[in-house]
Amino acid sequence: MRTQVAIVGAGPSGLLLGSLLRAEGIECVVIERQTPDHILSRIRAGVLEQITVQLMERLGIDGRMKAEGLPHGGFNLADGERLIRIDIEALTGKQVMVYGQTEITRDLMAAAPSFGLEIIYGVQDVALHDIESDAPSVTWSKDGTEQRIDAQFVVGCDGFHGPSRRAIPDAVGRSLEKVYPFGWLGILADVPPCNHELIYANHERGFALASMRSSTRSRYYIDVPLTERVEDWSDDRLWDELEIRLGPQAAASMTRGPSLEKSIAPLRSFVSEPMRHGRLLLCGDAAHIVPPTGAKGLNLAASDVHYASQALVAHLRTNDTDAIAGYSDKALARVWKAERFSWSLTRLMHRFPEDGAFERRMQVAELDYIASSEAARQAIAENYVGLPI
Ligand code: RFL
Ligand code: PHB
């Protein structure tokens, strides 16, 4: 097989990139380890920045998102009984869109045939070859047969555990990482949200987040030590804890219901530099991870894909080699700012085991400052809606 761009991974990064390239008439093939059903069963992101919404618009597949998604003009930080509203619309003139990653992925999967995007699911033993040459290739096995695709470029959209990042030699790349001493235990339930906007709470018992997928489906999280097991958290125990941590106002309007999904996701900040080596480009979680506190992971994947598609189109159409050469610096500039925001919001809203009274006072002082300063709220708002592309 031969194509212009071989894409490894059919998560949101791979599907968005493949669709954008096909819309520009570029040949590409996506290869994916899992089945479509498995991918759609992963419950992940819920808040979209404008860049992500705009890419769906540009592809002409924003109909369901516009009809079913919930535009939000603000969100709240809670500290005990206090609720600090960040009026993102008044402070930035922009909104975010509450629409699940599962739904975006479903929309992209459904539209793939109309873009002529070939996705090969259920592949094994994916390996990247000759990425430092002008003729890279990818091999895999499926149903017991070895297969190979020759391409002009390979794009690694295969998430944190995929093989693409590891194809960059150690001598060229470096990774920077911060692992947090807790994970987020999430519950999805068909109950109306307790509040019309998201609430991020810092309670003395720990962090909690009230989020949603629609007016009838809620998503909640609490932070738990990494030693906790999902099996130890009955639905009732989790609802009890959420009521305490989110505070009396949210608790009063919280509806309980059986969990559709419950899982623990560890928190991590991670960046692998550079995001290109030779003819291999990395996009999304393959190159970086943010803790979910800033709702940035999927949105960073979308901005990487935006830069990567521009660079690939420029190279493949007009042989503009500078575009590819500039991809990593351009993408990383935005990635590092989102890493900073996600890290600082995580620091502000969680109780770290090593923290003492001084660190707690710093959190309270910062929350007081945010409550009293429009400039502070504006800085949070402009990061939350997404920094410029
Ligand atoms: P994905 O989604 O991990 O997709 C990678 C794909 O590559 C495939 N793959 C392979 N394919 C072939 N061969 C191999 N050897 C392969 N190895 C892996 C995988 O099967 C998979 O299909 O990465 P992508 O596309 O870069 O997308 C990134 C986003 O998924 C991620 O950043 C977000 O989900 C993060 N995130 C959030 N982001 C937001 O922008 N807003 C949010 O509100 C938000 N909330 C969250 C989140 C992530 C969470 N978890 C579980 C980590 C909430 C949570 C709880
Ligand atoms: C979610 O709804 O899953 C969600 C929302 C906001 C975040 C993280 C996750 O910051």
Side-chain angles (χ1 to χ4, degrees):
M1 263 198 272
R2 183 172 291 278
T3 191
Q4 288 180 291
V5 182
I7 299 172
V8 185
S13 303
L15 292 174
L16 260 178
L17 180 65
S19 307
L20 288 167
L21 292 177
R22 288 302 301 130
E24 295 288 339
I26 307 282
E27 286 171 36
C28 54
V29 174
V30 183
I31 55 167
E32 164 63 48
R33 192 165 54 123
Q34 304 289 356
T35 62
D37 283 349
H38 178 95
I39 294 170
L40 291 175
S41 71
R42 300 190 289 226
I43 309 296
R44 290 189 172 177
V47 178
L48 309 181
E49 295 176 6
Q50 284 197 340
I51 172 65
T52 313
V53 171
Q54 282 162 2
L55 290 181
M56 296 294 279
E57 279 168 2
R58 200 197 300 168
L59 290 167
I61 51 171
D62 56 329
R64 203 164 66 93
M65 180 177 69
K66 291 280 161 65
E68 297 174 18
L70 305 171
H72 278 200
F75 69 96
N76 302 276
L77 300 176
D79 183 21
E81 305 211 343
R82 166 169 64 171
L83 213 54
I84 306 167
R85 179 158 191 266
I86 311 292
D87 188 339
I88 48 181
E89 190 162 15
L91 292 162
T92 67
K94 296 176 190 158
Q95 295 181 321
V96 291
M97 176 72 90
V98 172
Y99 189 65
Q101 176 168 332
T102 315
E103 302 315 316
I104 282 226
T105 310
R106 200 188 304 280
D107 293 342
L108 285 162
M109 279 180 182
S114 66
F115 293 121
L117 177 62
E118 185 183 358
I119 309 167
I120 306 172
Y121 290 100
V123 304
Q124 288 175 321
D125 308 322
V126 170
L128 286 67
H129 311 277
D130 302 320
I131 56 166
E132 289 169 347
S133 79
D134 287 350
S137 63
V138 180
T139 55
W140 66 91
S141 61
K142 184 167 175 175
D143 305 328
T145 47
E146 296 292 317
Q147 306 207 24
R148 166 187 171 127
I149 192 159
D150 294 294
Q152 288 173 260
F153 287 94
V154 177
V155 186
C157 295
D158 45 355
F160 184 66
H161 299 288
S164 297
R165 186 178 64 253
R166 291 174 185 85
I168 299 181
D170 287 347
V172 176
R174 66 167 184 166
S175 298
L176 296 104
E177 181 171 40
K178 177 166 178 57
V179 176
Y180 299 86
F182 36 71
W184 277 18
L185 166 61
I187 180 169
L188 185 73
D190 271 336
V191 292
C194 67
N195 190 52
H196 66 290
E197 291 176 344
L198 272 63
I199 304 174
Y200 295 81
N202 177 340
H203 187 272
E204 64 186 39
R205 290 170 68 97
F207 171 82
L209 168 60
S211 181
M212 66 194 76
R213 290 291 176 274
S214 69
S215 59
T216 56
R217 182 168 283 190
S218 300
R219 180 73 166 155
Y220 291 96
Y221 299 94
I222 59 168
D223 77 325
V224 292
L226 288 169
T227 45
E228 291 289 302
R229 297 175 323 151
V230 180
E231 303 78 69
D232 297 331
W233 285 87
S234 67
D235 289 358
D236 276 339
R237 181 178 175 207
L238 184 44
W239 288 118
D240 288 345
E241 193 65 29
L242 280 163
E243 282 195 1
I244 298 170
R245 294 191 190 185
L246 285 166
Q249 226 173 300
S253 37
M254 189 183 285
T255 313
R256 295 178 177 219
S259 57
L260 302 172
E261 193 261 4
K262 216 163 32 180
S263 56
I264 298 179
L267 265 62
R268 185 192 301 269
S269 297
F270 172 88
V271 181
S272 171
E273 303 178 308
M275 286 174 61
R276 178 196 63 88
H277 180 61
R279 292 277 178 132
L280 169 66
L281 282 69
L282 300 178
C283 288
D285 281 13
H288 42 72
I289 299 287
V290 283
T293 326
K296 291 282 159 257
L298 170 61
N299 296 301
L300 273 186
S303 59
D304 290 352
V305 160
H306 168 74
Y307 296 134
S309 66
Q310 279 186 335
L312 289 164
V313 170
H315 186 101
L316 294 167
R317 283 242 184 92
T318 61
N319 213 17
D320 173 359
T321 46
D322 289 350
I324 293 291
Y327 166 68
S328 179
D329 286 349
K330 216 172 186 178
L332 281 169
R334 196 166 189 277
V335 165
W336 275 114
K337 291 185 198 118
E339 289 282 349
R340 185 208 68 81
F341 178 66
S342 306
W343 166 82
S344 70
L345 202 57
T346 304
R347 197 83 199 66
L348 176 66
M349 299 309 294
H350 293 72
R351 309 275 166 125
F352 287 69
E354 67 272 22
D355 282 0
F358 180 82
E359 285 79 10
R360 177 60 196 143
R361 278 303 178 93
M362 289 296 98
Q363 287 185 333
V364 173
E366 190 169 343
L367 286 159
D368 281 347
Y369 173 55
I370 293 165
S372 63
S373 160
E374 184 169 310
R377 288 194 299 279
Q378 185 152 26
I380 292 178
E382 75 169 353
N383 279 280
Y384 197 80
V385 295
L387 294 174
I389 290 296

